């Protein structure tokens, strides 16, 4: 059994849960920020790196590059997640943020298409692939770290892996509102869109330093370490668990990326100023940042699957009215109301998701199991969501098309949740009791 001791043989003092949450959360914020910014500034990035005569075609290419990064996420989940299950949660978290810093630097410094031609979109696509690879292993490592330090407060602790998503949305939206309001279109295209990436590039080393001070989880130290890559054991021993983890994360990923697409939807479909979409996502991000930990806290007191089933039904029933409100009366107010409601539903669902996913796997395959299930779900249903939404609107002419996608993915997750509920029920004994 592996143990850690301080100098002189004494066990080190276990840090408080709040310190562990803050340490993991700060690194997670820094890592995901640059990834989200791409979606928020997609219109500008399309003009700089993927120029085309038809603006819609340019947007499709941009979101295609956005989605391409998600196809390497399962590979990152396997490599980084397996490394985390063998070397430790701290080691995995350090590796993922170091890789992300390289991709962020490429995004910040690569010249546009007008300067270096075809090399520009190639370099940007490589940066996206590297970012996708690193983020693929980040989620499983962070969730394993948070749940294994939490004891009886697994739901609350793990919810912070998503609460950072709300903070990221707020931070990216603030950049979006400020830059689109203060700068002219020419300034935004020339250099303004790079400012968020430069911010991420400069603060990345701080996140790396903070994670270097993390303390390994007691559960990992006490567990037997796998001798081979855990992915082989995972798929042999827990194929159903991987499938269920993938299933329950579908609507969480689909809703995140459809709602991150709202600034683009507001400009291209509703013909609103860019600041309107950013303002709506800023308010939605605040709701997520507060709602995630509350949902996680409640899940430590009542059934996690029950909470998620209720909110999943809301995802089936309410996206159409929300998008109808925006399309029928396009304005800042209707954007804010619709996005705020959908983000509230998302907070109730996704705030519980990390802890329920972690409970599907034992310690020796937890990081790779959570990472793989989540990353495959992101690759198939999340990363391509903006591309699918843009294509559906183009093909059908129906501005409500994104709501149909949310409803469809919610039904898929609902099926997986019901399966988890049934597996958790005590099975009746087949042996008659003695008198």
């Amino acid at each position: 059994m592996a143990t850690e001791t301080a100098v002189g043989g004494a066990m080190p003092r276990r840090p408080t849960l709040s310190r562990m949450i803050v340490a993991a959360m700060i690194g997670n914020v820094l890592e995901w920020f640059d990834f989200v910014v791409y979606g928020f500034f997609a219109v500008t990035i399309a003009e700089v790196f993927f120029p085309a005569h038809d603006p819609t075609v340019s947007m499709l290419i941009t979101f295609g590059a956005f989605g391409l990064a998600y196809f390497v996420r399962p590979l990152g989940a396997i490599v980084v997640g397996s490394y985390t299950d063998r070397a430790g949660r701290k080691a995995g978290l350090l590796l993922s943020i170091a890789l992300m810093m390289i991709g962020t630097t490429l995004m910040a410094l690569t010249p546009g298409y007008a300067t270096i031609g075809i090399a520009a979109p190639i370099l940007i696509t490589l940066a996206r692939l590297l970012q996708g690879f690193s983020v693929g292993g980040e989620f499983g490592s962070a969730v394993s770290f948070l749940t294994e330090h939490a004891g009886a407060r697994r739901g609350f602790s793990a919810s912070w892996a998503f609460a950072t998503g709300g903070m990221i949305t707020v931070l990216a939206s603030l950049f979006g509102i400020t830059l689109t309001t203060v700068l002219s279109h020419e300034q935004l295209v020339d250099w303004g869109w790079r400012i968020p990436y430069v911010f991420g590039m400069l603060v990345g080393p701080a996140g790396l330093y903070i994670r270097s001070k993390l303390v390994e989880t007691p559960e990992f130290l006490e567990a037997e370490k796998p001798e081979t890559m855990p992915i082989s054991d995972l798929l042999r021993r827990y194929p159903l668990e991987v499938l269920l983890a993938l299933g329950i994360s579908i609507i969480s990923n689909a809703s995140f990326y459809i709602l991150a697409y709202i600034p683009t939807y507001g400009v291209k479909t509703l013909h609103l100023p860019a600041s309107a979409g950013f303002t709506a996502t800023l308010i939605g991000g605040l709701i997520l940042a507060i709602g995630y930990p509350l949902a996680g806290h409640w899940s430590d007191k009542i059934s996690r699957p029950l909470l998620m089933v209720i909110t999943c039904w809301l995802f089936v029933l309410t996206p159409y009215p929300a998008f109808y409100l925006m399309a029928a009366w396009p304005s800042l107010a209707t954007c804010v109301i619709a996005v705020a409601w959908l983000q509230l539903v998302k907070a109730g669902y996704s705030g519980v998701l990390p802890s329920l996913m972690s409970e599907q796997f034992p310690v020796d395959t937890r990081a790779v199991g959570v990472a793989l299930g989540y990353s495959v779900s992101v690759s198939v249903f999340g990363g391509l969501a903006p591309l699918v939404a843009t294509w559906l609107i183009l093909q059908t002419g129906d501005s409500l098309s994104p709501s149909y996608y949310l409803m469809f993915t919610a039904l898929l997750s609902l099926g997986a949740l019901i399966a988890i509920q049934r597996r958790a029920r005590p099975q009746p004994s087949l042996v008659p009791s003695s008198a």
Side-chain angles (χ1 to χ4, degrees):
M1 181 181 297
T3 58
E4 280 185 346
T5 58
V7 176
M11 290 295 293
R13 185 176 64 179
R14 183 175 177 177
T16 62
L17 177 60
S18 60
R19 286 181 61 190
M20 290 295 97
I21 290 175
V22 169
M25 180 181 65
I26 290 176
N28 207 33
V29 166
L30 297 176
E31 188 160 5
W32 277 88
F33 171 72
D34 297 324
F35 211 62
V36 173
V37 165
Y38 186 97
F40 273 23
F41 286 92
V43 175
T44 305
I45 291 173
E47 192 171 341
V48 175
F49 293 102
F50 304 98
H53 295 297
D54 186 340
T56 301
V57 173
S58 180
M59 283 298 302
L60 286 171
I61 296 172
T62 303
F63 281 129
F66 183 81
L68 186 63
Y70 289 85
F71 286 106
V72 299
R73 285 186 64 152
L75 178 60
I78 292 171
V79 175
V80 179
S82 296
Y83 176 71
T84 301
D85 281 329
R86 286 181 294 162
R89 310 323 189 196
K90 175 180 175 178
L93 290 171
L94 285 171
L95 175 61
S96 64
I97 197 171
L99 292 172
M100 174 61 76
M101 287 169 59
I102 300 172
T104 299
T105 301
L106 278 175
M107 288 294 301
L109 301 181
T110 299
Y113 185 92
T115 304
I116 61 173
I118 192 64
I122 291 174
L123 287 173
I124 289 301
T125 302
L126 287 175
R128 294 291 302 160
L129 291 173
L130 185 57
Q131 288 177 320
F133 181 88
S134 63
V135 171
E138 162 72 17
F139 184 73
S141 301
V143 168
S144 298
F145 177 84
L146 289 168
T147 56
E148 291 170 12
H149 267 301
R153 304 193 68 192
R154 287 177 177 264
F156 173 75
S157 180
S159 71
W160 287 94
F162 276 135
T164 54
M167 297 172 189
I168 291 161
T169 303
V170 171
L171 189 57
S173 298
L174 285 173
F175 271 105
I177 293 170
T178 303
L179 294 175
T180 55
T181 303
V182 173
L183 301 180
S184 67
H185 176 74
E186 291 73 20
Q187 289 173 321
L188 193 62
V189 170
D190 287 343
W191 53 269
W193 70 272
R194 296 183 188 272
I195 293 176
Y197 285 104
V198 172
F199 171 81
M201 183 179 70
L202 294 177
V203 300
L208 191 64
Y209 172 79
I210 290 168
R211 286 193 166 178
S212 71
K213 302 300 180 182
L214 294 176
V215 176
E216 191 54 78
T217 71
E219 286 187 41
F220 177 80
L221 294 173
E222 294 172 1
E224 274 191 46
K225 309 303 180 289
E227 296 180 0
T228 59
M229 182 176 282
I231 185 64
S232 57
D233 289 336
L234 175 74
L235 297 178
R236 176 172 50 84
R237 293 160 54 195
Y238 307 107
L240 180 58
E241 286 77 2
V242 172
L243 187 62
L244 292 175
L246 186 161
I248 61 176
S249 62
I250 288 174
I251 183 56
S252 179
N253 289 314
S255 59
F256 181 86
Y257 291 100
I258 287 292
L259 291 170
Y261 162 76
I262 288 297
T264 302
Y265 179 79
V267 172
K268 292 294 184 180
T269 304
L270 304 181
H271 308 294
L272 294 172
S275 58
F278 285 122
T279 301
T281 51
L282 169 62
I283 294 172
L286 290 171
I287 292 172
L288 290 179
I290 297 170
Y292 281 143
L294 286 176
H297 173 72
W298 290 331
S299 78
D300 287 326
K301 300 179 180 299
I302 60 178
S303 167
R304 299 194 221 281
L306 177 61
L307 278 175
M308 293 177 69
V309 165
I310 293 171
T311 49
C312 198
W313 270 115
L314 291 175
F315 264 132
V316 173
L317 299 174
T318 62
Y320 182 87
F323 274 84
Y324 180 82
L325 179 68
M326 287 190 287
W329 299 279
S331 66
L332 173 61
T334 55
C335 249
V336 167
I337 292 170
V339 171
W341 168 252
L342 292 174
Q343 294 287 40
L344 183 63
V345 175
K346 176 171 173 53
Y349 186 92
S350 298
V352 187
L353 176 63
S355 52
L356 185 62
M357 290 183 72
S358 72
E359 289 170 350
Q360 307 306 307
F361 304 99
V363 176
D364 60 338
T365 58
R366 179 170 293 149
V368 69
V370 171
L372 183 62
Y374 187 78
S375 293
V376 171
S377 169
V378 174
S379 299
V380 178
F381 298 98
L384 293 177
L387 176 65
V388 171
T390 302
W391 181 82
L392 285 173
I393 293 171
L394 180 65
Q395 293 297 312
T396 66
D398 188 349
S399 60
L400 305 182
S401 295
S403 69
Y404 307 146
Y405 185 73
L406 285 177
M407 295 158 67
F408 169 71
T409 52
L411 288 171
L412 295 179
S413 287
L414 187 62
L417 284 169
I418 292 172
I420 288 177
Q421 281 185 313
R422 290 183 175 177
R423 292 182 77 221
R425 291 174 185 166
Q427 298 298 316
S429 174
L430 299 178
V431 180
S433 58
S434 57

